[in-house]
Amino acid sequence: MQFERAGRATHRARRLFLARVVGGSCAFGLAAAARAALAQGFPNRPIRLIVPYPPGGPLDIAARALAEQLKGSLGTVVVENRPGAGGNIGVDALAKSAPDGYTLGIGAVVTHAINPWLFTRIPYDPLKDFAPITLIAHVPNVLVMTPETAARLKVTSVRDLVEYARRNPGKLNYASGGNGSGGHMAGELLKSSTHTFAVHIPYPGAAPAQLSLLSGQTDFMFDNLASATAQIKAGKLRAFAVTTRARAAAMPDVPTIGEAGLKELAGFDVSTWFGVFAPAGTPAAIVTQLSDELRKALASPELRDRLARMGAEPAPSTSAEFAAFVRSELAKYEKVVKFSGAKVD
């Protein structure tokens, strides 16, 4: 028996030794690859930019505009769309890429602040698996109703809407582009902040949600400013407030929800933000270089104009600032998602 126990102990020690050697070799290999990239003058080949959403959407358009602007400083940036699972597939692909600076990705409020609480399991850690590079922009959401619904409910302001909800618990409903969407989270934050209730009606995307609003099937909606602008200008929707702390440059006459005069809404802030991430372990020198070049690109009038046409407001940041922002957003949305009760298996 003593010999058997000794043999098992020796076998366990050998396995532990081999695991350490293999793990150390992998870590050494990644570090060596990163050092080689720096030594050879980064970048010296095309950079891949993963977009975790389908082609043609706002984040894809923004990513391609950014890639075009970076040609002069970083060379070729190839945009690769990896959609699926609410953005989780593309973001996970980024997390598992080599940390050498040649694979970057677009991350957003959904992938890095909402999905970690919405999904029962996600294949990545939104903080530990990434090196934040820079925030790109915020896109405000806007609280809208049709003029007909607003007149029927006698709602002329955010305060009126909240007071109606308090007098008529459960009678209001609101549309969104799906569970966990920015519009859904804005609605839940309004409800939790004001201790009111409205039935959430999720649709498979913002377009059908807006259609339900226009046809009178739903009462109100927190729509993306870019997609709501045309209907607002046409008079088919009435804008009551934007969801960000500051007024939107695209609609400076529309107040913020924080300006409603209700103390419980004073800090209200929800936006569709997105930025650029690298895999965790990317050398600090490369992260700094990428952050510097991306922030220069975001300062260019051409790119700012293209973002403005999408309703996006550029918000370039340092890597440290972006990391702190992601941590704060993750903490904020933990409370909102849990209050909503939404869950995706």
Side-chain angles (χ1 to χ4, degrees), residues 3-277:
F3 288 113
E4 290 178 4
R5 284 196 295 271
R8 286 195 296 269
T10 301
H11 182 62
R12 283 196 299 272
R14 186 179 293 115
R15 282 190 302 172
L16 180 60
F17 173 76
L18 288 172
R20 286 174 175 168
V21 169
V22 172
S25 297
C26 291
F28 177 80
L30 291 173
R35 286 197 300 271
L38 286 168
Q40 293 169 11
F42 176 84
N44 56 24
R45 55 187 170 90
I47 292 173
R48 179 173 60 141
L49 180 61
I50 296 174
V51 176
Y53 297 102
L59 267 63
D60 176 67
I61 294 170
R64 292 178 189 278
L66 181 61
E68 182 70 24
Q69 194 65 39
L70 289 169
K71 276 185 178 179
S73 58
L74 295 178
T76 302
V77 178
V78 180
V79 175
E80 178 182 321
N81 298 91
R82 297 285 294 274
N88 291 350
I89 290 175
V91 169
D92 183 48
L94 172 66
K96 291 177 171 56
S97 297
D100 56 10
Y102 287 100
T103 301
L104 307 176
I106 300 293
V109 59
V110 171
T111 59
H112 280 73
I114 296 174
N115 284 359
W117 310 117
L118 181 67
F119 283 76
T120 303
R121 290 178 299 276
I122 59 171
Y124 59 87
D125 185 298
L127 300 179
K128 295 179 181 178
D129 289 345
F130 304 93
I133 304 296
T134 184
L135 185 62
I136 295 175
H138 296 272
V139 181
N141 291 313
V142 59
L143 172 58
V144 290
M145 301 175 73
T146 62
E148 295 78 13
T149 299
R152 175 171 56 83
L153 300 179
K154 296 181 172 60
V155 170
T156 61
S157 65
V158 173
R159 179 187 282 273
D160 286 346
L161 182 64
V162 171
E163 289 177 351
Y164 181 92
R166 286 173 173 163
R167 292 194 308 269
N168 302 276
K171 288 189 177 180
L172 284 173
N173 61 53
Y174 75 98
S176 84
N179 285 320
S181 64
H184 178 204
M185 293 298 99
E188 295 304 306
L189 184 57
L190 180 74
K191 287 160 57 178
S192 64
S193 299
T194 59
H195 305 288
T196 55
F197 181 75
V199 177
H200 172 230
I201 303 179
Y203 287 85
Q210 188 187 93
L211 185 60
S212 78
L213 187 67
L214 291 167
S215 63
Q217 297 175 44
T218 50
D219 296 324
F220 68 94
M221 176 182 179
F222 288 92
D223 201 357
N224 183 282
L225 183 60
S227 61
T229 296
Q231 301 292 358
I232 293 169
K233 289 182 176 179
K236 295 182 179 179
L237 290 177
R238 182 173 175 186
F240 287 96
V242 292
T243 59
T244 42
R245 287 183 185 273
R247 294 192 180 198
M251 288 191 178
D253 294 334
V254 178
T256 68
I257 285 183
E259 293 178 77
L262 297 171
K263 62 180 181 180
E264 56 265 49
L265 295 177
F268 198 98
D269 186 25
V270 173
S271 71
T272 301
W273 58 260
F274 53 100
V276 178
F277 294 82

Side-chain angles (χ1 to χ4, degrees), residues 327-342:
R327 285 194 298 270
S328 68
E329 289 286 281
L330 186 65
K332 176 174 77 178
Y333 283 104
E334 178 183 13
K335 299 174 185 176
V336 179
V337 173
K338 287 181 178 178
F339 174 83
S340 76

